[in-house]
Amino acid sequence: MKLLRLGNSDDIDPSVPDDQKNWYVAGKVLEEAIGEPVETVVKAIWPGEELPRKVSEWIDEYRPDVVFLKVTWVWYGYESVPRRIERIFGRAGKPVARAGLRAAKRPRLAHTWWFRTGRRAAHRVIGGDTQWHSDAVLETMEATIRKVVARENVALLVKGTGGGRRNEER
């Protein structure tokens, strides 16, 4: 069985060994359940306008039996201060936004109490913007789902996520 997993950056994070990732463990469980090997092709996705076309191309290229589509709440639910700064100040805000995003990607910095306190304060004062409006995500996911279900020999599994592990606005 071949599975095309359309997930997020957690699925391709190089700091986590493949045998500890969700897609790998799920593949092993599925292998045991169905008694045949499972090959998983992993793609990290963003809900941009090009996604339905890309998914159609990946289905042609990889010929999966199952497409697993993960709709991630971060796209429409996480309000990012750097994103807000970029939208308010345009080109002038891009360097500040990039610096904030780079800092947040450094665990030794981002996991300190003073960084988290500063992030909460920035959320209160500046606010945050999501990556995409929920309507845009819905439209893209609908178009992507239509591309998959148009292939009658391909099964589709859609998984959503809740509000995340932490409440950043606490």
Side-chain angles (χ1 to χ4, degrees):
M1 171 182 281
K2 187 176 266 188
L3 190 140
L4 174 59
R5 180 182 175 100
L6 307 174
N8 60 22
S9 58
D10 289 341
D11 294 325
I12 60 170
D13 183 350
S15 69
V16 178
D18 281 351
D19 65 353
Q20 294 178 18
K21 294 178 182 172
N22 290 338
W23 61 264
Y24 181 88
V25 173
K28 290 300 176 193
V29 170
L30 184 57
E31 279 182 6
E32 289 178 23
I34 65 173
E36 69 177 79
V38 173
E39 178 187 348
T40 304
V41 175
V42 181
K43 297 289 184 181
I45 61 170
W46 286 100
E49 290 179 9
E50 72 285 347
L51 182 62
R53 178 192 50 77
K54 281 184 178 179
V55 169
S56 190
E57 289 172 2
W58 290 332
I59 290 172
D60 289 340
E61 180 178 352
Y62 299 111
R63 305 223 180 270
D65 300 298
V66 178
V67 172
F68 175 92
L69 174 61
K70 185 175 181 183
V71 181
T72 305
W73 78 275
V74 169
W75 300 338
Y76 59 85
Y78 178 74
E79 294 184 348
S80 164
V81 173
R83 188 77 172 139
R84 174 97 172 144
I85 289 170
E86 192 175 5
R87 285 192 178 143
I88 290 172
F89 297 106
R91 287 178 50 178
K94 282 187 187 264
V96 175
R98 274 196 305 269
L101 292 171
R102 272 195 312 271
K105 288 181 182 178
R106 298 180 63 202
R108 289 184 63 161
L109 175 64
H111 294 238
T112 62
W113 69 269
W114 57 269
F115 185 89
R116 289 192 313 261
T117 301
R119 176 184 279 173
R120 283 191 297 273
H123 266 272
R124 287 186 190 105
V125 174
I126 300 168
D129 282 347
T130 60
Q131 292 293 324
W132 284 275
H133 191 275
S134 58
D135 289 344
V137 173
L138 285 170
E139 185 177 305
T140 301
M141 290 301 106
E142 179 182 356
T144 302
I145 289 168
R146 287 182 185 281
K147 290 286 188 183
V148 176
V149 299
R151 314 292 181 102
E152 294 178 0
N153 61 332
V154 178
L156 173 66
L157 174 63
V158 179
K159 179 188 183 299
T161 55
R165 294 181 293 258
R166 298 184 297 256
N167 179 2
E168 297 288 346
E169 294 294 314
R170 202 177 20 219

